[in-house]
Amino acid sequence: MSETDPAARAFEDLCAEMTVLRRSVEALPQAWRDNRPPDYTEDLARVVKAMNAVSTRMKAIEDTPTLKMTPQAYGQGIRQAGLSACQE
């Protein structure tokens, strides 16, 4: 085959492309290690802990009897307290 043979030139080009491709594939594991995203496990654990604490406090607030009172019952309680204060 001569130097100007199109088949020989195409084969050489293919070999060059395969070399580049092989080097790229070989470099992938290191690139993945170098570009690994940060580990947010500790930050997320702190957020979850804080949210659980807030949830516990909110549950305690929700369970207070005052919040379960209707406006009419609340008004009745104020009236009763006022009457008691006047009677004393």
Side-chain angles (χ1 to χ4, degrees), residues 3-73:
E3 190 68 36
T4 60
D5 183 19
R9 181 68 185 149
F11 185 75
E12 289 173 9
D13 290 346
L14 181 60
C15 286
E17 286 185 39
M18 292 305 294
T19 300
V20 170
L21 182 61
R22 181 177 41 82
R23 287 184 183 147
S24 297
V25 170
E26 288 173 349
L28 278 176
Q30 185 62 42
W32 287 333
R33 282 190 294 274
D34 294 344
N35 295 311
R36 185 171 286 152
D39 183 12
Y40 293 111
T41 304
E42 290 182 29
D43 296 330
L44 292 174
R46 283 196 299 271
V47 168
V48 167
K49 184 177 177 182
M51 288 180 70
N52 286 336
V54 169
S55 175
T56 302
R57 287 187 218 131
M58 291 297 295
K59 180 70 175 147
I61 291 169
E62 290 171 357
D63 290 341
T64 58
T66 305
L67 286 180
K68 294 178 180 166
M69 292 175 65
T70 64
Q72 292 79 15

Side-chain angles (χ1 to χ4, degrees), residues 69-83:
M69 292 175 65
T70 64
Q72 292 79 15
Y74 192 72
Q76 182 65 28
I78 292 173
R79 276 192 289 283
Q80 289 294 337
L83 288 173

